[in-house]
């Protein structure tokens, strides 16, 4: 590439005096200051580096935007150059132009520069997921998913969601206190999605057990480490490889191929993704979590096999609907796509519920007044999609040819990370939003944009689940409040997903 600044242009080679000048933040992406080593404190030198604070990520995005504009050079996990797209118009443009910014990671030119244990291998290595399809194949796969989700009756879904919410409240109501993330926000979407998948009672219990495993800290991961992206485009299909990547550098996608060294696929039960085994020493997850992931994939395969044997079971059974779809999906495609549906329906919805509960418990605009009035649940849900979207950043667009974006020259094969959170806060579109300023505006990018956004029925289904969960909780426990004195409410240590790690609440036991 000739002219302009690319990420590689500002990354110092290993062993130089400038090595290590990128910011040491808890996870990807990392800014790459192009001005060289920072001089000792108190001496004249470059302006301060932006600092990332999980309590206020918007400040970080503002600092990057002020320095670089709408597209910033970054390092992924302090090692691999990429572009962080901050501007609303730019994110909208990239997501809406798949011919120019493809979704298949095999387009990336950096495979030969990735260390074998690079943490994000698990999130970008190609799998047979709808997430990585393009063109006619994507229209076939995503179209089938959209059609199947459109078959879900929203009145039945509302009833199913209320039943799951009531059951969750019943389990802790007598105690007078609860952690609304672990005991409620995490529980309701999982139960609803289990029903849509056609799981039976004991199978749902197994799914609850296996999807809880990834949340536990494991040996070798620093407390602040980022577990990696979940992706609303997505479902976050993941795979980690145990073999070398040095020779893998295709210029164009090779249908059906994947990086060498990738072992048998096993789904990440928290994201719907696919990882191979290998444990922490291979840059993967602990062995017990890999085992849980394999069990989830086996469970989904069981659902597909059962739906094929019993096609007339009736109801919104997603495996049966996908099997009957005229797209004629293979069993392997259906398993992958069900994992995507489950992950995209569960994790972002749980975080949406948790972020909304946090807002309603901490913002007096949503406090119950003596007259019984409060800002509506719908207002709170929409405000969260603007200001605290569950999915903050999406890794995964690759330029199909040399182009320009936001005043930057983007080379063919460059990786772009889409910052949905930064785009929502772009001053060019938000005009200095204050609390509640955009609660009625639906133009946020919380569900992404373009052909890889959440399929059309999915946001409405997620809203039905979230609204039912919030309304049931507030109806059942009207004096719900934070404990006194109010405890700290730390955010999840992730640059990809946004939610409280815990949300303690107290109330009068019925």
């Amino acid at each position: 590439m000739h002219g302009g600044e690319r990420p590689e242009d500002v990354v110092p080679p290993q062993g130089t005096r400038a090595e290590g000048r990128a910011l040491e933040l808890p996870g990807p992406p990392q800014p790459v200051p192009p001005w060289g080593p920072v001089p000792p404190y108190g001496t004249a030198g470059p302006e301060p580096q932006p600092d990332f604070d999980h309590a206020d990520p918007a400040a970080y995005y503002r600092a990057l935007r002020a320095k670089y504009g709408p597209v910033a050079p970054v390092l992924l996990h302090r090692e691999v150059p990429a572009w962080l797209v901050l501007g609303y118009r730019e994110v909208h443009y990239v997501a809406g132009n798949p011919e120019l910014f493809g979704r298949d990671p095999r387009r990336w030119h950096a495979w030969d520069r990735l260390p074998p244990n690079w943490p994000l291998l698990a999130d970008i290595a190609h799998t047979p997921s709808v997430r990585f399809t393009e063109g006619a194949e994507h229209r076939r796969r995503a179209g089938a998913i959209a059609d199947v989700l459109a078959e879900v009756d929203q009145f039945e879904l509302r009833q199913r969601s209320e039943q799951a919410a009531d059951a969750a409240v019943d389990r802790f109501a007598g105690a007078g206190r609860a952690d609304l993330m672990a005991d409620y926000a995490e529980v309701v979407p999982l139960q609803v999605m289990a029903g849509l998948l056609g799981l039976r009672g004991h199978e749902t219990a197994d799914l609850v057990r296996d999807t809880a495993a990834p949340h536990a800290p494991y040996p070798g991961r620093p407390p602040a480490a980022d577990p990696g992206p979940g992706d609303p485009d997505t479902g976050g299909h993941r795979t980690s490889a145990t073999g070398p990547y040095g020779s893998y550098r295709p210029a164009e996608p090779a249908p059906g191929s994947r990086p060498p060294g990738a072992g048998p696929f096993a789904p990440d039960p928290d994201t719907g993704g696919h990882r191979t085994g290998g444990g922490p020493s291979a840059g993967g997850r602990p062995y017990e979590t890999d085992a849980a992931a394999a069990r989830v994939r086996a469970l989904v395969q069981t659902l597909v096999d059962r739906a094929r044997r019993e096609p007339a079971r009736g109801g919104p059974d997603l495996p049966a609907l996908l099997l009957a779809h005229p797209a004629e999906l293979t069993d392997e495609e259906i398993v992958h796509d069900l994992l995507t549906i489950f992950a995209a329906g569960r994790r972002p919805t749980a975080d949406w519920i948790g972020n909304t509960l946090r807002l309603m418990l901490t913002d007096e605009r949503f406090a119950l007044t003596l007259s019984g009035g409060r800002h509506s649940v719908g207002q709170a849900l929409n405000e969260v999609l603007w200001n605290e979207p569950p999915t903050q950043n999406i890794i995964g667009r690759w330029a199909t040819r040399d182009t320009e974006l936001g005043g930057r020259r983007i080379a063919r094969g460059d990786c772009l990370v889409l910052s949905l959170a930064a785009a929502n806060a772009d001053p060019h579109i938000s005009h200095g939003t204050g609390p509640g300023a955009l609660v009625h505006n639906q133009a946020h990018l919380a569900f992404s944009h373009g052909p890889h956004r959440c399929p059309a029925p999915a946001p409405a289904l997620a809203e039905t689940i979230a609204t039912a969960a919030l309304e049931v909780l507030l109806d059942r426990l009207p004096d719900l409040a934070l404990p006194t004195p109010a405890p700290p409410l730390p955010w999840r240590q992730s640059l990809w997903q946004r939610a409280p790690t815990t949300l303690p609440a107290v109330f009068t036991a019925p």
Side-chain angles (χ1 to χ4, degrees), residues 224-302:
D226 191 337
D231 193 330
D233 283 354
T234 82
H237 279 61
R238 300 178 165 188
T239 174
S240 64
T242 58
Y245 276 71
S247 61
Y248 186 76
R249 189 181 181 178
E252 295 291 343
S257 70
R258 55 194 167 111
F265 289 121
D268 183 322
D270 191 40
T271 65
H274 294 73
R275 289 177 177 257
T276 55
S281 63
R285 300 172 307 145
Y287 295 104
E288 64 272 17
T289 308
D290 287 327
R295 288 194 298 269
V296 172
R297 190 190 191 287
L299 175 60
V300 174
Q301 182 66 62
T302 297

Side-chain angles (χ1 to χ4, degrees), residues 73-398:
V74 298
L75 284 179
L76 299 175
H77 266 289
R78 309 181 183 91
E79 296 176 273
V80 181
W83 297 102
L84 181 62
V85 186
L86 303 161
Y88 183 97
R89 294 183 182 91
E90 287 74 18
V91 170
H92 195 275
Y93 180 76
V94 171
N97 287 273
E99 298 83 7
L100 187 55
F101 300 99
R103 197 67 175 91
D104 193 319
R106 292 171 293 182
R107 297 183 183 277
W108 201 11
H109 56 55
W111 284 109
D112 61 345
R113 283 170 281 170
L114 303 184
N117 294 334
W118 189 59
L120 290 184
L121 284 178
D123 303 292
I124 61 172
H126 184 267
T127 70
S129 163
V130 64
R131 174 190 181 193
F132 293 130
T133 56
E134 297 180 350
E137 177 63 10
H138 180 73
R139 288 189 291 272
R140 182 180 77 93
R141 298 276 294 279
I145 292 174
D147 291 345
V148 163
L149 293 180
E151 292 289 320
V152 177
D153 185 293
Q154 292 207 31
F155 292 102
E156 292 182 7
L157 182 66
R158 169 76 191 205
Q159 183 180 35
R160 189 190 299 267
S161 302
E162 289 177 348
Q163 291 171 348
D166 274 320
V169 173
D170 288 343
R171 283 191 285 272
F172 60 73
R177 61 179 59 245
D179 177 351
L180 296 180
M181 281 303 300
D183 300 333
Y184 195 72
E186 298 274 0
V187 173
V188 175
L190 188 150
Q191 294 289 335
V192 174
M193 293 305 300
L196 292 177
L197 290 173
L199 268 69
R200 297 168 181 173
H202 69 283
E203 294 169 332
T204 300
D206 291 343
L207 185 66
V208 170
R209 176 200 64 203
D210 289 334
T211 53
H215 295 289
Y218 56 82
R221 169 172 285 177
D226 191 337
D231 193 330
D233 283 354
T234 82
H237 279 61
R238 300 178 165 188
T239 174
S240 64
T242 58
Y245 276 71
S247 61
Y248 186 76
R249 189 181 181 178
E252 295 291 343
S257 70
R258 55 194 167 111
F265 289 121
D268 183 322
D270 191 40
T271 65
H274 294 73
R275 289 177 177 257
T276 55
S281 63
R285 300 172 307 145
Y287 295 104
E288 64 272 17
T289 308
D290 287 327
R295 288 194 298 269
V296 172
R297 190 190 191 287
L299 175 60
V300 174
Q301 182 66 62
T302 297
L303 297 178
V304 175
D305 294 342
R306 187 163 67 209
R308 190 175 290 282
R309 293 193 309 269
E310 307 169 18
R313 293 183 60 210
D317 187 317
L318 298 183
L321 291 172
L322 282 173
L323 280 168
H325 194 273
E328 299 182 340
L329 302 176
T330 67
D331 283 12
E332 182 185 33
E333 290 172 336
I334 291 174
V335 168
H336 280 267
D337 293 350
L338 286 173
L339 289 166
T340 295
I341 292 170
F342 170 72
R346 176 199 170 225
R347 166 55 53 203
T349 306
D351 292 348
W352 192 10
I353 294 169
N355 292 356
T356 304
L357 284 171
R358 188 185 192 279
L359 173 66
M360 298 186 79
L361 289 172
T362 58
D363 192 317
E364 62 183 11
R365 292 175 298 131
F366 297 94
L368 186 64
T369 66
L370 293 176
S371 62
R374 74 167 99 219
H375 275 47
S376 73
V377 164
Q379 287 175 298
L381 284 166
N382 201 51
E383 183 168 326
V384 163
L385 292 180
W386 274 104
N387 297 334
E388 304 288 358
T391 300
Q392 297 274 295
N393 299 290
I394 298 173
I395 184 171
R397 297 296 190 277
W398 287 269

